[in-house]
Amino acid sequence: MRFLPALTRVAALGAAAVLAATALTACGDDASTSEAANPYGLLQPGVLRAGTLTDAPPNVYLKDGKFTGFDNDLLTAVAAKAGLKVEFVGTDFSALLSQVNNRKFDVGSSSITITEARKKTVDFGNGYDFGYFGLDVPTGSPITSFDQLAGKRVVVVQGTVQDDYATGKNLNPVRVPDYNGAINQLKAGTADAWIAPAEIGEKSAADSNGKIKVAAKQLSPAPTAYAVAKANDKLREALNNGLDEVIADGTWTKLQAQYYPGRPIPADFKPGSGTVAVPGAAAPSASTAS
């Protein structure tokens, strides 16, 4: 019967179609399973790999072999709200944002000020802290304000907002890769001034055995936030939600008191989404919520 080969071919094609559909379904199931196991697109499911610095106390630093500081301790608490553990890895600030964008790290934690230029490289969560620019000088220096820096040898850490500030003021700053480099230039007398995050500058001056002093400080123009790779919205949203939770349960306030004792909080600064009452502070009104 001549039609049997034709039927056989039809049956074979039908079987192939069933197998193909089954394979596609299996692939879809695998993708769904993978996303469920790693909903935030992390390098390792359940572990938040954070790029940070080793030498910038009280914000981020290494102590007794452990990464700590306000930013890192806060990130650990925020991540826990999303059921994540944090693995910190040291790097240079000048490379941090590109490393986050290239997915070497899931998140950047280093008192990173939000700027329009940086938004072209990474996405930011909600602001968790404010900051001041500090002006550190060698003890005995006649410099007492930012207005006296023209013609002076000013050192900054490359890629920071302090670098942006000095460049914008045409100070032709000397750029170094890390905070220790800036401190060493002041101690050695090879720099007249260092524009630093004020808290880091104050801690560095206190630890300098009288070689460095803080001459002035001024409020930074924008809040600091954690950086994530472009389009990783699920991770960004998880961190934002976790931040609001640690604000509400008092962790944020506790860490502020631990790392910045006596530092006043600007009246117009609202951490996180701005909709959560900060323990010990007045509840934000609708007009101040972001």
Side-chain angles (χ1 to χ4, degrees):
M1 298 175 66
R2 295 180 179 179
F3 57 87
L4 284 178
L7 289 175
T8 301
R9 286 195 296 272
V10 170
L13 290 171
V18 171
L19 289 172
T22 302
L24 287 172
T25 301
C27 289
D29 289 343
D30 288 346
S32 298
T33 301
S34 177
E35 183 175 355
N38 190 14
Y40 307 122
L42 304 178
L43 293 166
Q44 179 182 344
V47 178
L48 188 67
R49 186 176 173 89
T52 188
L53 276 63
T54 62
D55 61 348
N59 301 73
V60 289
Y61 60 103
L62 195 63
K63 181 179 181 181
D64 300 327
K66 178 184 177 182
F67 286 97
T68 187
F70 175 80
D71 301 58
N72 288 343
D73 288 2
L74 182 68
L75 180 59
T76 298
V78 168
K81 297 296 185 181
L84 303 173
K85 295 182 179 180
V86 184
E87 176 190 353
F88 291 104
V89 180
T91 188
D92 289 334
F93 188 87
S94 59
L96 178 57
L97 296 187
S98 63
Q99 289 170 332
V100 170
N101 186 50
N102 294 331
R103 299 297 182 106
K104 180 176 181 179
F105 302 122
D106 299 308
V107 64
S109 171
S110 184
S111 195
I112 307 168
T113 302
I114 301 172
T115 69
E116 291 303 315
R118 290 172 177 175
K119 286 180 181 179
K120 296 177 182 178
T121 303
V122 294
D123 285 341
F124 287 99
N126 291 331
Y128 62 79
D129 200 15
F130 60 95
Y132 292 84
F133 288 175
L135 182 61
D136 280 29
V137 298
T139 299
S141 170
I143 297 173
T144 59
S145 75
F146 289 86
D147 295 336
Q148 298 174 312
L149 296 179
K152 304 297 184 182
R153 185 177 171 86
V154 178
V155 63
V156 295
V157 174
Q158 183 176 352
T160 60
V161 288
Q162 292 79 32
D163 184 355
D164 294 342
Y165 172 86
T167 301
K169 294 292 184 179
N170 297 315
L171 297 177
N172 192 26
V174 176
R175 297 177 177 87
V176 293
D178 54 39
Y179 292 104
N180 281 332
I183 294 166
N184 290 336
Q185 290 230 7
L186 283 186
K187 287 182 177 179
T190 53
D192 298 311
W194 168 33
I195 303 176
E199 293 82 8
I200 296 172
E202 289 171 350
K203 183 69 167 59
S204 300
D207 294 342
S208 70
N209 295 319
K211 294 182 179 180
I212 299 171
K213 68 176 183 178
V214 178
K217 67 179 185 179
Q218 63 185 38
L219 189 65
S220 181
T224 60
Y226 298 116
V228 300
K230 281 286 188 182
N232 194 347
D233 295 334
K234 288 186 176 181
L235 177 58
R236 179 178 54 79
E237 290 167 4
L239 295 178
N240 283 343
N241 292 336
L243 176 58
D244 276 355
E245 290 185 50
V246 300
I247 293 168
D249 70 16
T251 301
W252 184 87
T253 301
K254 177 183 176 182
L255 292 173
Q256 282 281 324
Q258 176 183 342
Y259 286 103
Y260 312 125
R263 184 182 72 162
I265 298 174
D268 60 349
F269 175 74
K270 301 294 185 291
S273 65
T275 62
V276 179
V278 178
S285 65
S287 63
T288 61
S290 59

